[in-house]
């Protein structure tokens, strides 16, 4: 069979990206389901810093590296850029309100939130699926975001189902019915 007989999708069938319409781009990229994290650190002035992010990904097993990104317009950008360490908290499906809490602006995001500190002084959220203590080893430009690379030094984890974000809404993960035993 030659390439001319195959069903192909041409660029005529594809829509061009409209850079003047960020909502359209956000909706497009929102079709990729992600987990939800809260990322914490300590500011240079000693303040506890925390924010919700779904831009988290594993990067390498050897060494154990992760990446996440932060908008260059985020109020906490300078704090994360200067931080020697940060903590990634992977949220469980029951943590949708916790995610919403850290997604909103507040003078003290940790008020009324169960947390403790590790020996690095980072605020650590209680009862999350996993916590990764990461050394902030590098940052890279990424358009309107800054990409952070962290090397995992310590962690904790528990069993549970993750909180998922898809198409602008919180979702829960379920086992695929065709693959269940």
């Amino acid at each position: 069979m030659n390439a001319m007989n195959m069903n192909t999708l041409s660029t005529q069938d594809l829509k061009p990206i409209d850079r003047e319409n960020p909502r359209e781009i956000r909706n497009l990229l929102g079709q990729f389901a992600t987990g939800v994290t809260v990322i914490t650190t300590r500011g240079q002035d000693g303040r506890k810093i925390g924010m919700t992010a779904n831009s988290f990904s594993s990067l390498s097993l050897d060494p154990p590296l992760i990446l996440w990104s932060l908008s260059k317009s985020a109020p906490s950008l300078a704090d994360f850029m200067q931080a020697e360490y940060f903590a990634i908290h992977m949220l469980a499906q029951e943590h949708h309100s916790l995610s919403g809490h850290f997604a909103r602006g507040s003078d003290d995001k940790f008020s009324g939130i169960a947390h403790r500190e590790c020996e690095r002084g980072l605020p650590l959220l209680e009862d999350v699926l996993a916590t990764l203590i990461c050394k902030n080893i590098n940052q890279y430009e990424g358009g309107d975001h800054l990409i952070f690379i962290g090397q995992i030094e310590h962690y904790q984890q528990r069993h549970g189902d993750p909180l998922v974000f898809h198409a602008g809404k919180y979702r829960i993960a379920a086992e695929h019915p065709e693959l269940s035993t």
Side-chain angles (χ1 to χ4, degrees):
M1 175 187 289
N2 70 34
M4 297 304 289
N5 293 335
M6 296 177 70
N7 288 332
T8 59
L9 183 65
S10 76
T11 56
Q12 293 173 346
D13 300 318
L14 300 173
K15 292 173 61 175
I17 286 290
D18 179 1
R19 290 177 167 217
E20 302 302 314
N21 188 348
R23 172 51 56 191
E24 180 181 331
I25 297 169
R26 180 180 284 271
N27 291 343
L28 168 67
L29 297 176
Q31 292 306 304
F32 184 73
T34 67
V36 182
T37 66
V38 169
I39 304 174
T40 61
T41 195
R42 182 86 53 182
Q44 293 289 66
D45 61 0
R47 289 176 304 119
K48 293 181 266 188
I49 309 293
M51 54 161 277
T52 299
N54 67 340
S55 62
F56 169 84
S57 182
S58 61
L59 179 59
S60 169
L61 296 177
D62 187 17
L65 302 176
I66 57 87
L67 65 82
W68 63 282
S69 64
L70 180 59
S71 172
K72 290 179 181 175
S73 64
S76 58
L77 180 66
D79 293 307
F80 280 106
M81 288 177 66
Q82 296 171 7
E84 185 177 358
Y85 286 86
F86 53 78
I88 307 283
H89 304 84
M90 297 176 189
L91 301 187
Q93 66 183 18
E94 64 268 20
H95 293 139
H96 54 86
S97 60
L98 185 65
S99 171
H101 175 83
F102 279 94
R104 291 185 294 276
S106 172
D107 288 338
D108 182 4
K109 290 186 180 184
F110 293 86
S111 178
I113 301 296
H115 69 285
R116 64 189 190 289
E117 286 187 17
C118 70
E119 64 276 357
R120 299 262 182 222
L122 300 174
L124 302 180
L125 303 179
E126 299 284 341
D127 195 39
V128 295
L129 282 182
T131 301
L132 314 175
I133 307 298
C134 301
K135 185 170 181 65
N136 189 356
I137 62 168
N138 224 327
Q139 296 144 24
Y140 297 96
E141 294 289 322
D144 60 0
H145 279 61
L146 197 62
I147 301 164
F148 289 80
I149 308 296
Q151 183 166 342
I152 304 167
E153 291 190 353
H154 296 91
Y155 74 98
Q156 69 79 30
Q157 67 181 5
R158 70 169 176 85
H159 292 288
D161 293 317
L163 181 60
V164 176
F165 196 72
H166 172 257
K169 296 181 181 177
Y170 292 116
R171 313 279 183 165
I172 57 172
E175 186 173 347
H176 196 287
E178 293 177 11
L179 303 176
S180 62
T181 54

